[in-house]
Amino acid sequence: EDKVVQSPLSLVVHEGDTVTLNCSYEVTNFRSLLWYKQEKKAPTFLFMLTSSGIEKKSGRLSSILDKKELFSILNITATQTGDSAIYLCAVGRKTSYDKVIFGPGTSLSVIP
Amino acid sequence: NAGVTQTPKFRVLKTGQSMTLLCAQDMNHEYMYWYRQDPGMGLRLIHYSVGEGTTAKGEVPDGYNVSRLKKQNFLLGLESAAPSQTSVYFCASRQGAGDTQYFGPGTRLTVL
């Protein structure tokens, strides 16, 4: 059965800390891995990763994929209170363009 | 562009009542999805549609029905609401190629 696992499930850090969120997957016919940020409402897209070893970066956020070990990490440097959110990992499959599988999410709280 | 919109934003039902949630998108996307989100469980796919006039079951379809009579609208119906259907419901859409989904703001449903 295809699945996506995230760790930790929740995390509390202080402003300025660096955090690493983990996503591992067991999915047949992997096509892409996506990261979303969910604050109070709708998830918003962060990154889509399809190739191993190529880092994607946006400001203080970065992510990388390891297709051999079947995982991805999302790094956030110099965290701010505005980074507090649930971070969702999802995996798309080649044979199923119509669906992606979501992990349970990591709830990040950044305290001043 | 409004993107993906959902109505209503909140609703309280009594057990056994029925209701319809409306999702609308103005991006001319082919694919539309309904998810429910419960604490610690991430996003779970209820039903989806790969085009106007088509629908298919997702991971947790029981107790729900959907219709896609127009390309821009995707309706989710609960015929006889149960307390287990208390959740936050998200609609999403995407283009035919690629996996990035765009989410609506969500509907918080409570069934008493």
Side-chain angles (χ1 to χ4, degrees), chain A residues 13-32:
Chain A
V13 301
H14 287 95
E15 269 192 316
D17 287 351
T18 293
V19 299
T20 299
L21 309 183
N22 303 293
C23 176
S24 63
Y25 59 91
E26 292 178 24
V27 171
T28 53
N29 297 307
F30 172 91
R31 185 157 66 100
S32 61

Side-chain angles (χ1 to χ4, degrees), chain A residues 1 9 31-34 36 38 40-45 48 86 88 91-93 96-105, chain B residues 9 31 33 35 37 40-45 48 50 56-58 90 94 96-106 108:
Chain A
E1 182 181 336
L9 292 180
R31 185 157 66 100
S32 61
L33 186 142
L34 304 101
Y36 289 85
Q38 184 178 20
K40 298 265 186 232
K41 293 186 176 180
T44 53
F45 173 75
M48 183 165 74
I86 296 173
L88 296 166
V91 175
R93 294 165 290 176
S96 185
Y97 279 80
D98 43 358
K99 293 179 285 185
V100 298
I101 303 170
F102 281 87
Chain B
K9 290 185 170 55
Y31 295 74
Y33 308 82
Y35 295 92
Q37 186 175 39
M41 304 202 63
L43 287 160
R44 292 185 292 168
L45 183 64
Y48 63 100
V50 301
K57 293 181 180 180
F90 286 100
R94 69 172 181 86
D99 292 315
T100 305
Q101 296 184 15
Y102 296 87
F103 286 82
R108 184 173 293 277

